[in-house]
Amino acid sequence: MVDEADKRRLEELEARIEAAKTPEETKHHSEEHYSQAQLAWRMVIELVAGLMIGFGIGYGLDILLGTTPIFLVLFILFGLAAGVLTMMRSVKEVQEKRTRAAEEEGQENGN
């Protein structure tokens, strides 16, 4: 025979199993909060990617055209400029998100 304590433990176990089966709400990528280190790495990667793409294009053009490294230097500078512009866009995006979050928090606290 099953006593009352075992029945209760069985019901608690079934409740925990059901709770584990329900899927958790997943946050959208834009809703995640990034640490300062993650933002810094993102910007470094954007800058380096711009430089590397500029290097590749410039080097390739110099090899194809048989020129001195004029295209290499030119496209590295273009890559640097593109990387800096991308970094600035990232900073602006993060700044806007933080401003919106602060405004929403202020509205919630004001009500």
Side-chain angles (χ1 to χ4, degrees), residues 66-101:
T67 58
T68 59
I70 187 70
F71 287 114
L72 178 68
V73 172
L74 185 65
F75 278 92
I76 284 178
L77 292 175
F78 286 154
L80 177 66
V84 169
L85 283 174
T86 305
M87 283 176 49
M88 297 306 288
R89 285 186 194 133
S90 295
V91 168
K92 186 177 178 182
E93 174 187 331
V94 169
Q95 200 171 23
E96 287 174 354
K97 283 183 183 179
R98 288 188 178 169
T99 303
R100 266 189 266 123

PDB file of all heavy atoms in Angstrom, residues 66-101:
ATOM      1  N   GLY A  66      50.058  44.171 -61.228  1.00  0.00           N
ATOM      2  CA  GLY A  66      51.515  44.240 -61.230  1.00  0.00           C
ATOM      3  C   GLY A  66      52.037  45.602 -60.808  1.00  0.00           C
ATOM      4  O   GLY A  66      53.096  46.030 -61.274  1.00  0.00           O
ATOM      5  N   THR A  67      51.330  46.269 -59.941  1.00  0.00           N
ATOM      6  CA  THR A  67      51.738  47.609 -59.518  1.00  0.00           C
ATOM      7  C   THR A  67      52.511  47.550 -58.207  1.00  0.00           C
ATOM      8  O   THR A  67      52.573  46.518 -57.538  1.00  0.00           O
ATOM      9  CB  THR A  67      50.499  48.502 -59.316  1.00  0.00           C
ATOM     10  OG1 THR A  67      49.652  47.890 -58.358  1.00  0.00           O
ATOM     11  CG2 THR A  67      49.749  48.678 -60.624  1.00  0.00           C
ATOM     12  N   THR A  68      53.091  48.678 -57.878  1.00  0.00           N
ATOM     13  CA  THR A  68      53.721  48.794 -56.566  1.00  0.00           C
ATOM     14  C   THR A  68      52.607  48.772 -55.526  1.00  0.00           C
ATOM     15  O   THR A  68      51.426  48.872 -55.874  1.00  0.00           O
ATOM     16  CB  THR A  68      54.512  50.112 -56.471  1.00  0.00           C
ATOM     17  OG1 THR A  68      53.620  51.194 -56.693  1.00  0.00           O
ATOM     18  CG2 THR A  68      55.641  50.148 -57.485  1.00  0.00           C
ATOM     19  N   PRO A  69      52.923  48.681 -54.255  1.00  0.00           N
ATOM     20  CA  PRO A  69      51.844  48.510 -53.273  1.00  0.00           C
ATOM     21  C   PRO A  69      50.977  49.755 -53.046  1.00  0.00           C
ATOM     22  O   PRO A  69      50.555  50.032 -51.938  1.00  0.00           O
ATOM     23  CB  PRO A  69      52.582  48.108 -52.012  1.00  0.00           C
ATOM     24  CG  PRO A  69      53.955  48.592 -52.170  1.00  0.00           C
ATOM     25  CD  PRO A  69      54.229  48.591 -53.632  1.00  0.00           C
ATOM     26  N   ILE A  70      50.674  50.466 -54.121  1.00  0.00           N
ATOM     27  CA  ILE A  70      49.834  51.659 -53.975  1.00  0.00           C
ATOM     28  C   ILE A  70      48.405  51.268 -53.613  1.00  0.00           C
ATOM     29  O   ILE A  70      47.779  51.894 -52.750  1.00  0.00           O
ATOM     30  CB  ILE A  70      49.881  52.544 -55.243  1.00  0.00           C
ATOM     31  CG1 ILE A  70      49.143  53.857 -55.023  1.00  0.00           C
ATOM     32  CG2 ILE A  70      49.293  51.829 -56.436  1.00  0.00           C
ATOM     33  CD1 ILE A  70      49.839  54.778 -54.079  1.00  0.00           C
ATOM     34  N   PHE A  71      47.864  50.223 -54.251  1.00  0.00           N
ATOM     35  CA  PHE A  71      46.502  49.798 -53.942  1.00  0.00           C
ATOM     36  C   PHE A  71      46.427  49.187 -52.545  1.00  0.00           C
ATOM     37  O   PHE A  71      45.412  49.329 -51.856  1.00  0.00           O
ATOM     38  CB  PHE A  71      45.990  48.801 -54.993  1.00  0.00           C
ATOM     39  CG  PHE A  71      45.661  49.449 -56.310  1.00  0.00           C
ATOM     40  CD1 PHE A  71      46.405  49.151 -57.445  1.00  0.00           C
ATOM     41  CD2 PHE A  71      44.627  50.354 -56.407  1.00  0.00           C
ATOM     42  CE1 PHE A  71      46.109  49.741 -58.657  1.00  0.00           C
ATOM     43  CE2 PHE A  71      44.326  50.954 -57.616  1.00  0.00           C
ATOM     44  CZ  PHE A  71      45.078  50.651 -58.739  1.00  0.00           C
ATOM     45  N   LEU A  72      47.497  48.516 -52.137  1.00  0.00           N
ATOM     46  CA  LEU A  72      47.546  47.940 -50.799  1.00  0.00           C
ATOM     47  C   LEU A  72      47.408  49.040 -49.757  1.00  0.00           C
ATOM     48  O   LEU A  72      46.570  48.959 -48.860  1.00  0.00           O
ATOM     49  CB  LEU A  72      48.853  47.174 -50.595  1.00  0.00           C
ATOM     50  CG  LEU A  72      49.072  46.553 -49.225  1.00  0.00           C
ATOM     51  CD1 LEU A  72      48.092  45.413 -49.009  1.00  0.00           C
ATOM     52  CD2 LEU A  72      50.494  46.066 -49.094  1.00  0.00           C
ATOM     53  N   VAL A  73      48.187  50.083 -49.892  1.00  0.00           N
ATOM     54  CA  VAL A  73      48.140  51.190 -48.936  1.00  0.00           C
ATOM     55  C   VAL A  73      46.785  51.891 -49.007  1.00  0.00           C
ATOM     56  O   VAL A  73      46.171  52.196 -47.976  1.00  0.00           O
ATOM     57  CB  VAL A  73      49.284  52.192 -49.198  1.00  0.00           C
ATOM     58  CG1 VAL A  73      49.141  53.437 -48.345  1.00  0.00           C
ATOM     59  CG2 VAL A  73      50.631  51.526 -48.963  1.00  0.00           C
ATOM     60  N   LEU A  74      46.310  52.135 -50.215  1.00  0.00           N
ATOM     61  CA  LEU A  74      45.051  52.835 -50.406  1.00  0.00           C
ATOM     62  C   LEU A  74      43.879  52.065 -49.777  1.00  0.00           C
ATOM     63  O   LEU A  74      43.073  52.639 -49.036  1.00  0.00           O
ATOM     64  CB  LEU A  74      44.802  53.057 -51.902  1.00  0.00           C
ATOM     65  CG  LEU A  74      43.588  53.885 -52.288  1.00  0.00           C
ATOM     66  CD1 LEU A  74      43.768  55.314 -51.794  1.00  0.00           C
ATOM     67  CD2 LEU A  74      43.397  53.861 -53.785  1.00  0.00           C
ATOM     68  N   PHE A  75      43.806  50.769 -50.052  1.00  0.00           N
ATOM     69  CA  PHE A  75      42.679  49.993 -49.539  1.00  0.00           C
ATOM     70  C   PHE A  75      42.800  49.679 -48.048  1.00  0.00           C
ATOM     71  O   PHE A  75      41.799  49.481 -47.377  1.00  0.00           O
ATOM     72  CB  PHE A  75      42.474  48.719 -50.370  1.00  0.00           C
ATOM     73  CG  PHE A  75      41.683  48.984 -51.627  1.00  0.00           C
ATOM     74  CD1 PHE A  75      42.316  49.297 -52.819  1.00  0.00           C
ATOM     75  CD2 PHE A  75      40.309  48.961 -51.589  1.00  0.00           C
ATOM     76  CE1 PHE A  75      41.590  49.563 -53.951  1.00  0.00           C
ATOM     77  CE2 PHE A  75      39.564  49.221 -52.731  1.00  0.00           C
ATOM     78  CZ  PHE A  75      40.210  49.531 -53.914  1.00  0.00           C
ATOM     79  N   ILE A  76      44.026  49.660 -47.512  1.00  0.00           N
ATOM     80  CA  ILE A  76      44.155  49.535 -46.058  1.00  0.00           C
ATOM     81  C   ILE A  76      43.572  50.781 -45.397  1.00  0.00           C
ATOM     82  O   ILE A  76      42.877  50.696 -44.381  1.00  0.00           O
ATOM     83  CB  ILE A  76      45.619  49.308 -45.643  1.00  0.00           C
ATOM     84  CG1 ILE A  76      46.018  47.867 -45.943  1.00  0.00           C
ATOM     85  CG2 ILE A  76      45.821  49.604 -44.165  1.00  0.00           C
ATOM     86  CD1 ILE A  76      47.450  47.534 -45.628  1.00  0.00           C
ATOM     87  N   LEU A  77      43.828  51.939 -45.970  1.00  0.00           N
ATOM     88  CA  LEU A  77      43.248  53.177 -45.420  1.00  0.00           C
ATOM     89  C   LEU A  77      41.726  53.172 -45.555  1.00  0.00           C
ATOM     90  O   LEU A  77      41.020  53.592 -44.629  1.00  0.00           O
ATOM     91  CB  LEU A  77      43.850  54.403 -46.113  1.00  0.00           C
ATOM     92  CG  LEU A  77      45.329  54.657 -45.810  1.00  0.00           C
ATOM     93  CD1 LEU A  77      45.851  55.819 -46.646  1.00  0.00           C
ATOM     94  CD2 LEU A  77      45.544  54.898 -44.339  1.00  0.00           C
ATOM     95  N   PHE A  78      41.222  52.692 -46.708  1.00  0.00           N
ATOM     96  CA  PHE A  78      39.765  52.571 -46.859  1.00  0.00           C
ATOM     97  C   PHE A  78      39.191  51.590 -45.839  1.00  0.00           C
ATOM     98  O   PHE A  78      38.132  51.829 -45.261  1.00  0.00           O
ATOM     99  CB  PHE A  78      39.391  52.109 -48.270  1.00  0.00           C
ATOM    100  CG  PHE A  78      39.526  53.158 -49.333  1.00  0.00           C
ATOM    101  CD1 PHE A  78      39.760  52.800 -50.653  1.00  0.00           C
ATOM    102  CD2 PHE A  78      39.425  54.506 -49.034  1.00  0.00           C
ATOM    103  CE1 PHE A  78      39.875  53.755 -51.643  1.00  0.00           C
ATOM    104  CE2 PHE A  78      39.544  55.474 -50.014  1.00  0.00           C
ATOM    105  CZ  PHE A  78      39.778  55.092 -51.322  1.00  0.00           C
ATOM    106  N   GLY A  79      39.887  50.483 -45.617  1.00  0.00           N
ATOM    107  CA  GLY A  79      39.440  49.495 -44.638  1.00  0.00           C
ATOM    108  C   GLY A  79      39.435  50.064 -43.230  1.00  0.00           C
ATOM    109  O   GLY A  79      38.526  49.801 -42.442  1.00  0.00           O
ATOM    110  N   LEU A  80      40.450  50.864 -42.902  1.00  0.00           N
ATOM    111  CA  LEU A  80      40.501  51.511 -41.597  1.00  0.00           C
ATOM    112  C   LEU A  80      39.321  52.460 -41.427  1.00  0.00           C
ATOM    113  O   LEU A  80      38.653  52.460 -40.395  1.00  0.00           O
ATOM    114  CB  LEU A  80      41.819  52.263 -41.427  1.00  0.00           C
ATOM    115  CG  LEU A  80      41.987  53.044 -40.134  1.00  0.00           C
ATOM    116  CD1 LEU A  80      42.055  52.098 -38.954  1.00  0.00           C
ATOM    117  CD2 LEU A  80      43.228  53.907 -40.193  1.00  0.00           C
ATOM    118  N   ALA A  81      39.055  53.256 -42.470  1.00  0.00           N
ATOM    119  CA  ALA A  81      37.931  54.188 -42.408  1.00  0.00           C
ATOM    120  C   ALA A  81      36.605  53.436 -42.264  1.00  0.00           C
ATOM    121  O   ALA A  81      35.740  53.819 -41.461  1.00  0.00           O
ATOM    122  CB  ALA A  81      37.907  55.063 -43.653  1.00  0.00           C
ATOM    123  N   ALA A  82      36.451  52.343 -43.003  1.00  0.00           N
ATOM    124  CA  ALA A  82      35.222  51.556 -42.913  1.00  0.00           C
ATOM    125  C   ALA A  82      35.079  50.929 -41.525  1.00  0.00           C
ATOM    126  O   ALA A  82      33.988  50.901 -40.952  1.00  0.00           O
ATOM    127  CB  ALA A  82      35.211  50.467 -43.987  1.00  0.00           C
ATOM    128  N   GLY A  83      36.183  50.448 -40.968  1.00  0.00           N
ATOM    129  CA  GLY A  83      36.143  49.862 -39.631  1.00  0.00           C
ATOM    130  C   GLY A  83      35.765  50.882 -38.572  1.00  0.00           C
ATOM    131  O   GLY A  83      34.972  50.598 -37.665  1.00  0.00           O
ATOM    132  N   VAL A  84      36.319  52.093 -38.684  1.00  0.00           N
ATOM    133  CA  VAL A  84      35.991  53.151 -37.728  1.00  0.00           C
ATOM    134  C   VAL A  84      34.525  53.551 -37.866  1.00  0.00           C
ATOM    135  O   VAL A  84      33.834  53.749 -36.858  1.00  0.00           O
ATOM    136  CB  VAL A  84      36.934  54.363 -37.904  1.00  0.00           C
ATOM    137  CG1 VAL A  84      36.455  55.556 -37.112  1.00  0.00           C
ATOM    138  CG2 VAL A  84      38.349  53.991 -37.496  1.00  0.00           C
ATOM    139  N   LEU A  85      34.032  53.666 -39.087  1.00  0.00           N
ATOM    140  CA  LEU A  85      32.615  54.001 -39.292  1.00  0.00           C
ATOM    141  C   LEU A  85      31.701  52.927 -38.694  1.00  0.00           C
ATOM    142  O   LEU A  85      30.684  53.246 -38.061  1.00  0.00           O
ATOM    143  CB  LEU A  85      32.310  54.170 -40.775  1.00  0.00           C
ATOM    144  CG  LEU A  85      32.766  55.481 -41.399  1.00  0.00           C
ATOM    145  CD1 LEU A  85      32.542  55.460 -42.906  1.00  0.00           C
ATOM    146  CD2 LEU A  85      32.039  56.652 -40.778  1.00  0.00           C
ATOM    147  N   THR A  86      32.066  51.672 -38.873  1.00  0.00           N
ATOM    148  CA  THR A  86      31.268  50.587 -38.306  1.00  0.00           C
ATOM    149  C   THR A  86      31.297  50.639 -36.787  1.00  0.00           C
ATOM    150  O   THR A  86      30.276  50.429 -36.123  1.00  0.00           O
ATOM    151  CB  THR A  86      31.792  49.227 -38.807  1.00  0.00           C
ATOM    152  OG1 THR A  86      31.814  49.239 -40.229  1.00  0.00           O
ATOM    153  CG2 THR A  86      30.911  48.097 -38.332  1.00  0.00           C
ATOM    154  N   MET A  87      32.460  50.930 -36.220  1.00  0.00           N
ATOM    155  CA  MET A  87      32.561  51.070 -34.766  1.00  0.00           C
ATOM    156  C   MET A  87      31.672  52.204 -34.272  1.00  0.00           C
ATOM    157  O   MET A  87      30.998  52.071 -33.250  1.00  0.00           O
ATOM    158  CB  MET A  87      34.014  51.354 -34.359  1.00  0.00           C
ATOM    159  CG  MET A  87      34.907  50.160 -34.385  1.00  0.00           C
ATOM    160  SD  MET A  87      36.626  50.559 -34.026  1.00  0.00           S
ATOM    161  CE  MET A  87      36.507  51.539 -32.563  1.00  0.00           C
ATOM    162  N   MET A  88      31.682  53.315 -34.974  1.00  0.00           N
ATOM    163  CA  MET A  88      30.866  54.453 -34.557  1.00  0.00           C
ATOM    164  C   MET A  88      29.379  54.121 -34.631  1.00  0.00           C
ATOM    165  O   MET A  88      28.600  54.540 -33.777  1.00  0.00           O
ATOM    166  CB  MET A  88      31.183  55.682 -35.416  1.00  0.00           C
ATOM    167  CG  MET A  88      32.620  56.163 -35.279  1.00  0.00           C
ATOM    168  SD  MET A  88      33.129  56.468 -33.587  1.00  0.00           S
ATOM    169  CE  MET A  88      32.236  57.946 -33.246  1.00  0.00           C
ATOM    170  N   ARG A  89      28.972  53.359 -35.644  1.00  0.00           N
ATOM    171  CA  ARG A  89      27.573  52.932 -35.730  1.00  0.00           C
ATOM    172  C   ARG A  89      27.215  52.024 -34.561  1.00  0.00           C
ATOM    173  O   ARG A  89      26.109  52.120 -34.004  1.00  0.00           O
ATOM    174  CB  ARG A  89      27.319  52.199 -37.040  1.00  0.00           C
ATOM    175  CG  ARG A  89      27.256  53.106 -38.232  1.00  0.00           C
ATOM    176  CD  ARG A  89      26.868  52.350 -39.480  1.00  0.00           C
ATOM    177  NE  ARG A  89      27.139  53.158 -40.643  1.00  0.00           N
ATOM    178  CZ  ARG A  89      27.754  52.736 -41.737  1.00  0.00           C
ATOM    179  NH1 ARG A  89      28.144  51.475 -41.825  1.00  0.00           N
ATOM    180  NH2 ARG A  89      27.979  53.542 -42.743  1.00  0.00           N
ATOM    181  N   SER A  90      28.121  51.147 -34.186  1.00  0.00           N
ATOM    182  CA  SER A  90      27.867  50.258 -33.043  1.00  0.00           C
ATOM    183  C   SER A  90      27.715  51.060 -31.762  1.00  0.00           C
ATOM    184  O   SER A  90      26.837  50.782 -30.941  1.00  0.00           O
ATOM    185  CB  SER A  90      29.013  49.253 -32.889  1.00  0.00           C
ATOM    186  OG  SER A  90      29.073  48.400 -33.997  1.00  0.00           O
ATOM    187  N   VAL A  91      28.577  52.046 -31.574  1.00  0.00           N
ATOM    188  CA  VAL A  91      28.498  52.891 -30.376  1.00  0.00           C
ATOM    189  C   VAL A  91      27.176  53.632 -30.349  1.00  0.00           C
ATOM    190  O   VAL A  91      26.515  53.714 -29.309  1.00  0.00           O
ATOM    191  CB  VAL A  91      29.691  53.873 -30.328  1.00  0.00           C
ATOM    192  CG1 VAL A  91      29.485  54.936 -29.267  1.00  0.00           C
ATOM    193  CG2 VAL A  91      30.981  53.133 -30.091  1.00  0.00           C
ATOM    194  N   LYS A  92      26.771  54.162 -31.493  1.00  0.00           N
ATOM    195  CA  LYS A  92      25.506  54.887 -31.569  1.00  0.00           C
ATOM    196  C   LYS A  92      24.332  53.968 -31.248  1.00  0.00           C
ATOM    197  O   LYS A  92      23.405  54.347 -30.517  1.00  0.00           O
ATOM    198  CB  LYS A  92      25.342  55.490 -32.961  1.00  0.00           C
ATOM    199  CG  LYS A  92      24.139  56.372 -33.109  1.00  0.00           C
ATOM    200  CD  LYS A  92      24.075  56.985 -34.498  1.00  0.00           C
ATOM    201  CE  LYS A  92      22.843  57.839 -34.648  1.00  0.00           C
ATOM    202  NZ  LYS A  92      22.748  58.402 -36.005  1.00  0.00           N
ATOM    203  N   GLU A  93      24.361  52.741 -31.773  1.00  0.00           N
ATOM    204  CA  GLU A  93      23.291  51.772 -31.516  1.00  0.00           C
ATOM    205  C   GLU A  93      23.202  51.449 -30.029  1.00  0.00           C
ATOM    206  O   GLU A  93      22.110  51.444 -29.453  1.00  0.00           O
ATOM    207  CB  GLU A  93      23.575  50.496 -32.306  1.00  0.00           C
ATOM    208  CG  GLU A  93      22.646  49.351 -32.033  1.00  0.00           C
ATOM    209  CD  GLU A  93      23.103  48.075 -32.719  1.00  0.00           C
ATOM    210  OE1 GLU A  93      23.747  48.153 -33.776  1.00  0.00           O
ATOM    211  OE2 GLU A  93      22.819  46.988 -32.175  1.00  0.00           O
ATOM    212  N   VAL A  94      24.338  51.203 -29.393  1.00  0.00           N
ATOM    213  CA  VAL A  94      24.350  50.881 -27.959  1.00  0.00           C
ATOM    214  C   VAL A  94      23.874  52.075 -27.148  1.00  0.00           C
ATOM    215  O   VAL A  94      23.107  51.935 -26.192  1.00  0.00           O
ATOM    216  CB  VAL A  94      25.764  50.445 -27.527  1.00  0.00           C
ATOM    217  CG1 VAL A  94      25.874  50.355 -26.018  1.00  0.00           C
ATOM    218  CG2 VAL A  94      26.118  49.111 -28.166  1.00  0.00           C
ATOM    219  N   GLN A  95      24.301  53.260 -27.540  1.00  0.00           N
ATOM    220  CA  GLN A  95      23.907  54.475 -26.830  1.00  0.00           C
ATOM    221  C   GLN A  95      22.394  54.688 -26.920  1.00  0.00           C
ATOM    222  O   GLN A  95      21.746  55.037 -25.926  1.00  0.00           O
ATOM    223  CB  GLN A  95      24.654  55.668 -27.415  1.00  0.00           C
ATOM    224  CG  GLN A  95      24.726  56.857 -26.527  1.00  0.00           C
ATOM    225  CD  GLN A  95      25.674  57.909 -27.108  1.00  0.00           C
ATOM    226  OE1 GLN A  95      25.927  57.946 -28.313  1.00  0.00           O
ATOM    227  NE2 GLN A  95      26.187  58.754 -26.250  1.00  0.00           N
ATOM    228  N   GLU A  96      21.821  54.473 -28.098  1.00  0.00           N
ATOM    229  CA  GLU A  96      20.376  54.625 -28.264  1.00  0.00           C
ATOM    230  C   GLU A  96      19.608  53.607 -27.424  1.00  0.00           C
ATOM    231  O   GLU A  96      18.594  53.943 -26.813  1.00  0.00           O
ATOM    232  CB  GLU A  96      20.001  54.492 -29.747  1.00  0.00           C
ATOM    233  CG  GLU A  96      20.398  55.684 -30.581  1.00  0.00           C
ATOM    234  CD  GLU A  96      20.156  55.464 -32.063  1.00  0.00           C
ATOM    235  OE1 GLU A  96      19.773  54.337 -32.465  1.00  0.00           O
ATOM    236  OE2 GLU A  96      20.359  56.418 -32.832  1.00  0.00           O
ATOM    237  N   LYS A  97      20.097  52.369 -27.381  1.00  0.00           N
ATOM    238  CA  LYS A  97      19.427  51.344 -26.577  1.00  0.00           C
ATOM    239  C   LYS A  97      19.465  51.710 -25.101  1.00  0.00           C
ATOM    240  O   LYS A  97      18.474  51.558 -24.388  1.00  0.00           O
ATOM    241  CB  LYS A  97      20.091  49.988 -26.790  1.00  0.00           C
ATOM    242  CG  LYS A  97      19.718  49.329 -28.085  1.00  0.00           C
ATOM    243  CD  LYS A  97      20.359  47.970 -28.198  1.00  0.00           C
ATOM    244  CE  LYS A  97      20.046  47.338 -29.534  1.00  0.00           C
ATOM    245  NZ  LYS A  97      20.684  46.026 -29.672  1.00  0.00           N
ATOM    246  N   ARG A  98      20.599  52.199 -24.634  1.00  0.00           N
ATOM    247  CA  ARG A  98      20.707  52.566 -23.224  1.00  0.00           C
ATOM    248  C   ARG A  98      19.842  53.773 -22.903  1.00  0.00           C
ATOM    249  O   ARG A  98      19.256  53.844 -21.827  1.00  0.00           O
ATOM    250  CB  ARG A  98      22.165  52.840 -22.866  1.00  0.00           C
ATOM    251  CG  ARG A  98      22.977  51.585 -22.821  1.00  0.00           C
ATOM    252  CD  ARG A  98      24.340  51.812 -22.297  1.00  0.00           C
ATOM    253  NE  ARG A  98      25.047  50.537 -22.242  1.00  0.00           N
ATOM    254  CZ  ARG A  98      26.318  50.420 -22.031  1.00  0.00           C
ATOM    255  NH1 ARG A  98      27.057  51.488 -21.850  1.00  0.00           N
ATOM    256  NH2 ARG A  98      26.888  49.235 -21.997  1.00  0.00           N
ATOM    257  N   THR A  99      19.755  54.713 -23.825  1.00  0.00           N
ATOM    258  CA  THR A  99      18.902  55.880 -23.612  1.00  0.00           C
ATOM    259  C   THR A  99      17.443  55.455 -23.531  1.00  0.00           C
ATOM    260  O   THR A  99      16.707  55.903 -22.656  1.00  0.00           O
ATOM    261  CB  THR A  99      19.092  56.900 -24.758  1.00  0.00           C
ATOM    262  OG1 THR A  99      20.467  57.258 -24.822  1.00  0.00           O
ATOM    263  CG2 THR A  99      18.250  58.136 -24.543  1.00  0.00           C
ATOM    264  N   ARG A 100      17.017  54.570 -24.465  1.00  0.00           N
ATOM    265  CA  ARG A 100      15.641  54.076 -24.441  1.00  0.00           C
ATOM    266  C   ARG A 100      15.350  53.323 -23.148  1.00  0.00           C
ATOM    267  O   ARG A 100      14.290  53.488 -22.548  1.00  0.00           O
ATOM    268  CB  ARG A 100      15.380  53.156 -25.634  1.00  0.00           C
ATOM    269  CG  ARG A 100      14.791  53.889 -26.824  1.00  0.00           C
ATOM    270  CD  ARG A 100      14.346  52.928 -27.893  1.00  0.00           C
ATOM    271  NE  ARG A 100      15.448  52.798 -28.841  1.00  0.00           N
ATOM    272  CZ  ARG A 100      16.051  51.680 -29.191  1.00  0.00           C
ATOM    273  NH1 ARG A 100      15.651  50.536 -28.707  1.00  0.00           N
ATOM    274  NH2 ARG A 100      17.035  51.663 -30.040  1.00  0.00           N
ATOM    275  N   ALA A 101      16.298  52.498 -22.719  1.00  0.00           N
ATOM    276  CA  ALA A 101      16.103  51.731 -21.487  1.00  0.00           C
ATOM    277  C   ALA A 101      16.000  52.662 -20.285  1.00  0.00           C
ATOM    278  O   ALA A 101      15.164  52.449 -19.398  1.00  0.00           O
ATOM    279  CB  ALA A 101      17.248  50.745 -21.292  1.00  0.00           C
TER     280      ALA A 101
END
